[in-house]
Amino acid sequence: MTLNKAGIIEVIGESLQAALPELENVDYDAALTGDIGLDSVQIMDLMMEIEDRLDISIPIELLAETHTLNELAERLVPLVNPK
């Protein structure tokens, strides 16, 4: 599967809706834990949903370095489209 950042953002949005349906109108530049208010369990649920939809494995180190959904999308591009 080849996806650009926009396609990955779409998958993230769908995954967010599936994993956390109570969230509405999420700012993709907002901090995941501070502004959006996700706790560690919710973040892991979201990551598992994204992994399932993209058929990838997201390294835990990537999560530690990611603060927003847009950053996550940028960091997922090489995982989704390996060289």
Side-chain angles (χ1 to χ4, degrees):
M1 170 187 320
T2 301
L3 287 174
N4 60 14
K5 182 181 173 188
I8 293 172
I9 286 175
E10 185 176 325
V11 170
I12 290 172
E14 293 167 357
S15 299
L16 192 60
Q17 185 62 38
L20 304 161
E22 66 276 6
L23 292 179
E24 296 179 4
N25 301 322
V26 175
D27 178 2
Y28 283 67
D29 287 319
L32 292 173
T33 55
D35 297 330
I36 298 175
L38 300 180
D39 63 28
S40 59
V41 172
Q42 291 172 317
I43 290 174
M44 292 310 295
D45 287 345
L46 176 60
M47 292 307 115
M48 287 188 303
E49 186 68 32
I50 292 168
E51 286 177 332
D52 288 347
R53 288 175 184 259
L54 293 175
D55 195 28
I56 60 171
S57 179
I58 301 172
I60 196 73
E61 300 84 31
L62 186 138
L63 292 178
E65 301 167 354
T66 303
H67 303 289
T68 69
L69 293 171
N70 273 325
E71 284 180 16
L72 178 61
E74 288 173 15
R75 294 173 189 264
L76 290 181
V77 170
L79 292 176
V80 174
N81 305 308
K83 293 181 180 183

